[in-house]
């Protein structure tokens, strides 16, 4: 009998092990555990980066591997692979950091980190492909928890395979003892499908200027909403020290509905929307930041340093899963006139007592005002990283401008009214007979171009609005328009730069000596482009085909400085050029970016000093990159050259995240084909125009939103309570999205939730019951056999033994698993729905985009023949 009982015990243990194989998510983590990093002995973090929380839930620990930053404002990155292949949802974030050592943290998702090292300098980038921000932390934010039924989707076919943690170490005085830091975050993930997908809508101003001493300065942002309905449940405001109040509204049929209003000098948490607001197609989202320049002695601009400012209004929302978009942005003011009707409350500062200010800002004193160059030593790393450019560029095939009769199109620009301006060569062409070996123009006998070379068009219908520039130019090339509407153009035959008023027939300013190439302060040699600083009025000229330099002039044309040199043999070094062909001035970052044509790259420099900052180069550019254009808010557009024989890279347009340089999208025309796209210009609404010097055509491209089957992988989620006051805010989750048929919508949502939970319940029940049923069947069979052979006495003995075994089985299964216990056991964690979240304003760093595939880069081609001229 004892042997029988032992056999039954062994049988039970076998079935228990089988069940454990199904129950524990750790069974699929073997490949991850093999590559687990070892933390520094000085770190107190867990040595178990993956922790099972039950049948469908698990926790993932992501930590810096024991680092010691060497200087302030250091950004360090590290990566961790997603330990599962299938889709999962992040529902909790538990940070492990202190604001005494860490300024803020960002967590990204992508498929290929920028490095395979245990950690690296984030200046190398976060990811090689598209990266999606998933989480941000600052100012001792406690754990973040979302409302029930809401999660951020990761993994699967659309999500990234890696998490990349970026930590910004601001003031490193805390590291005087050389200790090692293991800051990071623990994620709580679940495989259970969430019926509602969360996301974030970021509204931010990118061009606000706050004059010194000004008592009240408004920064207004407004965009039309063009998506499926979303439902707002939390908001967060952010400025630096000068912000007094930030307010956000939904505007529908002229009616302003408050989303949220708060002082940015209070703890910058996510607060619940008091009366949840829905946003429908064609509503307007509007926000205002009120600043004061009192106490400042110089202008304050939007930027990433302590003495710069920011104007951000974050909105947390949820959408139905099938229409979910994880991230959206608004960086423009689509209707300035509407702000005349903004509620008066938006202009009234919220008083903050001094104790609260100390609690919010800590013990660090604000830096004193210094000169502009010192304020801009750190590029604005913050807002651009979170810009997920969720769009795809396609040709606007209905635009009639492609049929215009033009000469060689050399330059494009947009005037202050957003009209398209074309600079073309009329009946003149640049060919092998145009110049001699000393770059002197050989076709002066033709005289200047008799046609109007500057055409102003309506960007919507290509209707000609204005024309000028006849009998002035020989071979037009670059075109730029300053904030006052003046045209700045270059002529490679004349070797000159011209400033023209929109209504003037004669130039307002001429730089260079007509028809005389040179390389001194007073001469150019085939200058290619011009850029004008909207803040200082400084003029930058790229010079050019036979010089390799950038020259800075004062607003009235006086020489200031120059930088650059000819590319030496071998790999081109920073600051070397082989035809600096196009300029893009980035006022947000105080940078000037140059399309270094024959080196196939973009180089960016500091405006005030000409100091090299970085290079943007992709194999998909090919050997030539012709033009570059910047859109305020973080987008960079470019066009490359036609491939040489044997090259694989096609001629195409590129959309890039400026902060990271990563390619978001590529585009080509549907009508005709690119031959030699020579210039590109883009507007704030992501409308792009490309001019082709050989095709003699201008294409219009527009951003086409991907409403279905988009990659839903990203969210900047930070939810927390105000720790000092122990206040807990519960989100009011609106479970019945508005529709034309509320009853059907409610039934549909209930069905989605019921299906999800039903499948999970059936699966769990089945896996637990099967071994019990099998065991009971065996026991019944043995009992029947014993009754037949041994009679009642044998039955009694067996029943006693089986009772003990089944009692143990019930003991194993009766406790149940509380999936929230992992986080609930940690101090400071709140379980009341939606916890407030605090993040420092500079909570967007080095990266970028969602919904489109990055350009696949081919292997490098063999060296090409000599470059063509145009």
């Amino acid at each position: 009998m004892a042997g029988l009982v032992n056999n039954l015990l062994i049988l039970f243990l076998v079935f228990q092990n089988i069940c454990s194989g199904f129950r524990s998510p750790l069974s699929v983590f073997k490949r991850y555990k093999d590559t687990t990093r070892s933390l520094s002995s000085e770190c107190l973090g867990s040595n178990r980066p993956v922790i099972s929380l039950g049948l469908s839930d698990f926790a993932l620990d992501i930590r810096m591997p024991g680092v010691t930053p060497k200087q302030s404002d250091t950004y360090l990155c590290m990566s961790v692979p997603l330990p599962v292949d299938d889709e999962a949802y992040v529902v909790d974030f538990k940070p492990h950091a202190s604001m005494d050592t860490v300024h803020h943290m960002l967590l990204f998702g992508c498929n290929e980190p920028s490095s395979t090292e245990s950690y690296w300098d984030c200046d190398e980038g976060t990811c090689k492909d598209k990266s999606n921000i998933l989480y941000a932390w600052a100012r001792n934010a406690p754990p973040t928890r979302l409302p029930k039924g809401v999660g951020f989707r990761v993994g699967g076919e659309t999500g990234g395979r890696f998490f990349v943690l970026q930590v910004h170490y601001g003031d490193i005085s805390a590291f005087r003892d050389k200790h090692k830091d293991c800051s990071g975050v623990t994620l709580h993930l679940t495989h259970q499908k969430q019926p509602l997908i969360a996301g974030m809508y970021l509204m931010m101003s990118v061009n606000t200027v706050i004059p010194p001493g000004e008592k009240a300065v408004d920064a207004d942002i407004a965009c039309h909403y063009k998506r499926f309905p979303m439902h707002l449940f939390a908001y967060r405001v952010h400025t630096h020290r000068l912000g007094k109040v930030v307010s956000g509204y939904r505007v529908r049929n002229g009616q302003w509905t408050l989303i949220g209003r708060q002082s940015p000098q209070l703890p910058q948490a996510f607060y619940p929307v008091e009366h949840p607001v829905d946003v429908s197609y064609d509503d307007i989202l509007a926000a205002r930041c009120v600043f004061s320049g009192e106490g400042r002695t110089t202008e304050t601009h939007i930027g990433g340093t302590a003495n710069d400012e920011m104007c951000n209004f974050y909105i947390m929302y949820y959408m139905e899963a099938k229409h979910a978009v994880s991230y959206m942005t608004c960086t423009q003011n689509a209707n300035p006139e509407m702000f005349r009707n903004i509620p008066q409350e938006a202009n009234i500062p919220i008083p903050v007592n001094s104790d609260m200010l100390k609690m919010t800002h800590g013990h660090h004193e604000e830096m004193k005002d210094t000169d502009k160059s010192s304020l801009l030593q750190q590029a604005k790393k913050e807002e651009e990283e979170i810009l997920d450019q969720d769009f795809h560029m396609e040709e606007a095939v209905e635009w009639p401008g492609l049929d215009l009769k033009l000469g060689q199109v050399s330059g494009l620009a947009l005037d202050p009214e957003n009209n398209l301006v074309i600079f073309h060569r009329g009946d003149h062409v640049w060919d092998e007979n145009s110049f001699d070996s000393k770059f002197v123009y050989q076709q002066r006998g033709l005289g200047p171009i008799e046609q109007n070379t500057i055409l102003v068009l309506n960007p919507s219908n290509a209707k000609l609005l204005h024309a000028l520039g006849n009998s002035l130019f020989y071979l037009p090339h670059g075109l730029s328009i300053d904030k006052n509407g003046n045209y700045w153009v270059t002529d490679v035959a004349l070797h000159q730069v011209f400033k023209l008023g929109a209504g003037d027939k004669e130039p307002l300013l001429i730089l260079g000596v007509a028809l005389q190439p040179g390389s001194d302060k007073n001469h150019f040699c085939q200058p290619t482009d011009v850029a004008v600083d909207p803040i200082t009025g400084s003029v930058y000229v790229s010079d050019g085909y036979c010089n390799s330099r950038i020259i800075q002039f004062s607003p009235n044309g006086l020489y200031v400085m120059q930088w650059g040199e000819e590319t030496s043999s071998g790999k081109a070094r920073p600051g070397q050029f082989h035809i600096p062909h196009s300029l893009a001035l980035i006022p947000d970052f105080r940078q000037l970016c140059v399309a270094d044509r024959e080196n196939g790259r973009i180089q960016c420099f500091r405006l005030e000093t000409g100091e090299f900052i970085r290079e943007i180069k992709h194999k998909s550019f090919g050997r030539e990159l012709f033009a570059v254009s910047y859109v305020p808010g973080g987008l960079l557009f470019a066009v490359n050259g036609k491939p040489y024989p044997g090259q694989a890279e096609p001629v195409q347009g590129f959309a890039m995240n400026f902060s990271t340089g990563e390619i978001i999208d590529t585009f080509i025309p549907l009508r005709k084909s690119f031959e030699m796209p020579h210039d590109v210009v883009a507007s704030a609404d992501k409308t792009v125009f490309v001019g082709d010097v050989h095709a003699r055509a201008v294409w219009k491209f527009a951003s086409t939103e991907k409403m279905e089957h988009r990659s839903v992988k990203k969210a900047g989620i930070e939810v927390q309570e105000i720790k000092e006051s122990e206040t807990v805010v519960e989100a009011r989750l609106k479970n019945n999205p508005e529709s034309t048929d509320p009853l059907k919508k409610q039934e549909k949502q209930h069905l989605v939730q019921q299906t999800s939970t039903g499948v999970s319940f059936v699966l769990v029940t089945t896996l637990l019951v099967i071994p019990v049923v099998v065991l009971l069947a065996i026991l019944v069979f043995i009992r029947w056999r014993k009754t037949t052979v041994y009679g009642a006495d044998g039955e009694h003995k067996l029943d006693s033994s089986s009772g003990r075994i089944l009692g143990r089985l019930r003991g194993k299964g009766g406790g149940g698993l509380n999936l929230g216990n992992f986080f609930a056991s940690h101090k400071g964690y709140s379980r009341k729905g939606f916890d407030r979240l605090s993040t420092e304003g500079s909570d967007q760093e080095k990266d970028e985009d969602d919904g489109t595939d990055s350009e696949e880069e081919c292997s490098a081609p063999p060296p090409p023949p000599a470059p063509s001229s145009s």
Side-chain angles (χ1 to χ4, degrees):
M1 187 62 196
L4 177 62
V5 173
N6 289 336
N7 289 337
L8 289 174
L9 285 171
I10 293 172
L11 182 63
F12 170 70
L13 292 174
V14 170
F15 279 113
Q16 185 184 33
N17 289 336
I18 293 173
C19 294
S20 298
F22 286 105
R23 291 176 61 189
S24 175
L26 294 177
S27 61
V28 299
F29 295 158
K30 189 172 182 180
R31 65 175 174 83
Y32 175 80
K33 292 168 71 176
D34 292 339
T35 61
T36 299
R37 69 191 185 283
S38 59
L39 295 177
S40 165
S41 59
E42 297 184 34
C43 299
L44 301 178
S46 169
N47 290 324
R48 297 172 57 205
V50 182
I51 305 169
S52 174
L53 301 180
L55 177 68
S56 59
D57 289 33
F58 62 96
L60 179 63
D61 200 40
I62 304 173
R63 304 285 194 100
M64 275 289 163
V67 300
T68 304
K70 299 296 190 294
Q71 60 184 20
S72 295
D73 287 324
T74 294
Y75 292 79
L76 298 180
C77 290
M78 59 83 61
S79 66
V80 171
L82 184 67
V84 295
D85 293 324
D86 51 342
E87 191 174 81
Y89 299 83
V90 180
V91 294
D92 280 292
F93 301 85
K94 186 180 189 302
H96 308 284
S98 168
M99 65 182 293
D100 292 333
T101 55
V102 174
H103 185 268
H104 67 270
M105 300 187 297
L106 288 175
L107 185 69
F108 297 88
C110 64
N111 285 313
E112 188 177 7
S114 291
S115 175
T116 58
E117 300 293 329
S118 60
Y119 71 95
W120 65 92
D121 189 327
C122 298
D123 284 340
E124 301 174 21
T126 54
C127 298
K128 292 183 179 179
D129 60 333
K130 301 187 305 293
S131 61
N132 305 292
I133 189 167
L134 299 172
Y135 176 68
W137 174 94
R139 295 193 180 279
N140 293 341
T144 297
R145 188 170 182 240
L146 299 181
K148 185 178 179 180
V150 177
F152 294 100
R153 192 157 42 191
V154 296
E157 295 182 358
T158 58
R161 300 298 178 192
F162 284 83
F163 292 107
V164 176
L165 176 67
Q166 180 189 82
V167 179
H168 175 199
Y169 298 97
D171 180 2
I172 63 165
S173 59
F175 287 92
R176 289 169 182 163
D177 60 353
K178 306 298 182 181
H179 76 274
K180 297 184 182 298
D181 181 68
C182 296
S183 298
V185 61
T186 299
L187 308 184
H188 180 175
L189 298 99
T190 179
H191 290 293
Q192 293 186 12
K193 285 189 175 295
Q194 304 297 296
L196 301 173
I197 303 301
M200 186 172 68
Y201 192 107
L202 170 60
M203 307 184 72
M204 66 178 182
S205 173
V206 296
N207 53 11
T208 298
V209 178
I210 305 170
E214 193 74 24
K215 186 173 183 180
V217 179
D218 297 335
D220 295 334
I221 316 155
C223 286
H224 287 272
Y225 184 75
K226 300 291 185 181
R227 306 266 190 155
F228 285 91
M230 66 176 176
H231 306 272
L232 318 183
F233 61 91
Y235 72 98
R236 173 179 177 259
V237 304
H238 172 67
T239 70
H240 291 178
R241 305 262 177 167
L242 303 186
K244 300 303 180 182
V245 62
V246 182
S247 309
Y249 298 86
R250 180 203 69 190
V251 184
R252 179 183 292 172
N253 300 322
Q255 184 70 33
W256 293 68
T257 300
L258 180 67
I259 299 170
R261 172 176 173 267
Q262 190 55 272
S263 168
Q265 304 309 320
L266 292 171
Q268 294 178 357
F270 269 101
Y271 297 91
V273 176
E274 185 173 355
H275 302 289
V277 178
D278 68 279
V279 180
S280 301
Y281 187 90
D282 220 29
D283 284 345
I284 297 176
L285 289 169
R288 166 171 284 182
C289 300
V290 178
F291 297 96
S292 172
E294 294 178 316
R296 291 290 174 96
T297 58
T298 59
E299 287 185 341
T300 304
H301 300 269
I302 298 296
T305 69
N307 276 11
D308 293 325
E309 265 302 337
M310 289 185 179
C311 170
N312 297 353
F313 187 78
Y314 298 80
I315 303 171
M316 285 263 192
Y317 62 87
Y318 66 85
M319 303 175 75
E320 291 184 27
K322 69 176 182 179
H323 299 312
V325 182
S326 60
Y327 185 73
M328 292 177 274
T329 61
C330 172
T331 60
Q332 59 180 313
N333 186 357
N335 189 354
E337 294 298 317
M338 66 180 285
F339 282 90
R340 294 180 179 179
N341 300 317
I342 192 171
Q344 185 60 27
E345 65 187 355
N347 302 313
I348 302 174
I350 296 176
V352 181
N353 62 50
S354 58
D355 290 339
M356 183 64 74
L357 282 174
K358 291 179 181 178
M359 179 187 73
T360 304
H361 296 297
H363 302 290
H364 301 289
E365 294 294 324
E366 180 177 6
M367 297 191 324
K368 295 180 179 180
D369 288 318
T370 55
D371 58 69
K372 184 179 295 184
S373 62
S374 66
L375 292 178
L376 298 170
Q377 288 182 355
Q378 176 185 349
K380 183 182 147 189
K381 299 178 180 178
E382 317 233 336
E383 300 306 336
E384 305 305 331
E385 288 313 309
I386 204 165
L387 284 178
D388 170 27
Q389 310 300 341
D390 189 13
F391 71 100
H392 174 63
M393 301 303 301
E394 291 185 0
E395 183 189 353
V397 294
E398 74 284 354
W399 192 64
L402 192 63
D403 300 324
L404 292 172
K405 302 301 181 183
L406 302 169
Q408 291 183 333
V409 178
S410 62
L412 299 176
L414 296 172
D415 67 16
E417 285 74 44
N418 217 38
N419 295 315
L420 174 65
V421 183
I422 300 174
F423 196 30
H424 73 116
R425 295 173 183 161
D427 57 4
H428 284 203
V429 296
W430 186 352
D431 57 25
E432 65 275 8
N433 299 315
S434 298
F435 296 90
D436 65 12
S437 60
K438 296 183 178 180
F439 309 106
V440 176
Y441 186 57
Q442 298 297 295
Q443 298 172 335
R444 286 171 287 181
L446 297 175
I449 300 168
E450 296 181 358
Q451 298 90 2
N452 285 313
T453 54
I454 300 175
L455 308 178
V456 183
L457 305 181
N458 184 311
S460 300
N461 56 25
K463 180 180 179 181
L464 181 64
L465 303 177
H466 184 49
L468 69 156
N470 63 307
S471 302
L472 282 176
F473 308 112
Y474 286 79
L475 280 181
H477 198 275
L479 167 67
S480 180
I481 301 177
D482 64 27
K483 66 178 182 180
N484 298 318
N486 297 307
Y487 304 133
W488 293 81
V489 300
T490 70
D491 188 310
V492 292
L494 290 170
H495 306 286
Q496 287 180 305
V497 175
F498 299 84
K499 176 184 178 182
L500 296 167
D504 299 328
K505 293 185 178 180
E506 296 297 324
L508 301 176
L509 178 68
I510 301 176
L511 301 176
V513 181
L515 299 169
Q516 293 184 15
S519 57
D520 58 24
K521 298 179 180 180
N522 300 314
H523 291 80
F524 302 106
C525 191
Q526 297 178 345
T528 53
D529 203 7
V530 185
V532 182
D533 188 340
I535 298 174
T536 66
S538 295
V539 180
Y540 299 86
V541 178
S542 51
D543 179 39
Y545 280 91
C546 35
N547 285 328
S548 299
R549 60 180 179 172
I550 306 298
I551 311 176
Q552 179 186 351
F553 296 90
S554 69
N556 57 359
L558 298 178
Y559 175 89
V560 176
M561 68 171 181
Q562 69 180 45
W563 71 86
E565 61 183 28
E566 186 177 354
T567 300
S568 57
S569 58
K571 183 179 179 180
R573 298 194 303 269
Q576 293 185 336
F577 299 109
H578 192 179
I579 306 181
H581 195 258
S582 171
L583 300 177
L585 196 144
I586 294 85
D588 301 349
F589 292 78
R590 308 300 298 155
Q591 294 182 25
L592 181 72
C593 292
V594 184
D596 187 6
R597 190 179 111 171
E598 298 302 312
N599 285 324
R601 63 179 179 175
I602 299 168
Q603 294 191 74
C604 297
F605 303 87
R606 201 173 306 282
L607 275 176
E608 285 76 13
T609 63
E611 175 191 355
F612 174 82
I613 297 176
R614 63 170 178 155
E615 170 191 280
I616 301 174
K617 185 178 178 66
H618 295 277
K619 290 182 180 178
S620 52
F621 286 171
R623 296 286 296 184
E624 296 180 333
L625 190 81
F626 270 72
V628 62
S629 177
Y630 175 75
V631 174
L635 276 177
L636 200 64
F637 291 90
V639 289
N640 67 349
K642 197 168 184 177
Y644 290 106
Q647 289 185 319
E649 294 79 8
V651 57
Q652 58 190 332
F654 302 88
M656 290 167 281
N657 182 309
F658 175 77
S659 293
T660 64
E662 292 171 316
I663 296 173
I664 297 168
D665 192 29
T666 59
F667 53 93
I668 58 174
L670 301 174
R671 299 177 296 168
K672 296 186 178 181
S673 297
F674 284 152
E675 295 181 30
M676 185 180 281
H678 196 262
D679 201 7
V680 60
V681 66
S683 63
D685 65 355
K686 305 182 185 73
T687 298
V688 177
F689 295 91
V690 176
D692 193 304
V693 72
H694 283 181
R696 303 189 179 198
V698 177
W699 286 269
K700 178 180 180 180
F701 297 86
S703 169
T704 302
E705 303 295 345
K706 296 182 177 180
M707 302 303 295
E708 300 289 346
H709 309 294
R710 69 174 67 250
S711 169
V712 184
K713 345 181 239 194
K714 168 189 239 189
I717 305 306
E718 318 148 332
V719 188
Q720 81 171 19
E721 60 182 319
I722 300 179
K723 195 170 184 179
E724 290 77 3
S725 61
E726 297 299 329
T727 303
V728 178
V729 182
E730 180 173 312
R732 298 162 175 84
L733 182 59
K734 184 177 177 185
N735 287 317
N736 296 314
E738 182 178 298
S739 68
T740 56
D741 192 341
L743 182 58
K744 290 183 179 180
K745 199 72 166 182
Q746 187 174 4
E747 292 173 351
K748 182 177 179 181
Q749 178 127 342
H750 175 71
L751 181 61
V752 172
Q753 293 172 332
Q754 189 178 42
T755 301
S756 176
T757 57
V759 171
S760 300
F761 177 80
V762 170
L763 180 61
V764 173
T765 303
T766 301
L767 293 176
L768 292 177
V769 167
I770 286 176
V772 178
V773 172
V774 173
L775 182 59
L776 286 174
I778 295 172
L779 291 174
V780 170
F781 174 78
I782 295 173
R783 181 177 179 179
W784 173 76
R785 292 287 295 170
K786 286 292 181 180
T787 302
T788 303
V789 177
Y790 298 108
D793 186 62
E795 177 183 346
H796 174 76
K797 292 179 180 179
L798 179 61
D799 187 61
S800 176
S801 300
S802 64
R804 287 194 297 270
I805 296 172
L806 291 175
R808 294 174 186 171
L809 178 61
R810 294 189 188 100
K812 291 282 186 180
L817 286 173
N818 184 343
L819 300 182
N821 283 345
F822 174 76
F823 288 103
S825 63
H826 288 68
K827 183 178 179 180
Y829 176 72
S830 169
R831 300 174 58 89
K832 295 187 178 180
F834 187 82
D835 301 343
R836 287 189 183 175
L837 164 131
S838 140
T839 33
E840 169 61 24
S842 50
D843 51 0
Q844 294 127 61
E845 292 325 292
K846 300 177 137 347
D847 252 46
E848 15 345 56
D849 175 76
D850 159 30
T852 56
D853 292 330
S854 296
E855 170 66 21
E856 182 175 349
E857 298 179 0
C858 306
S859 59
S868 59
S869 61
S870 59

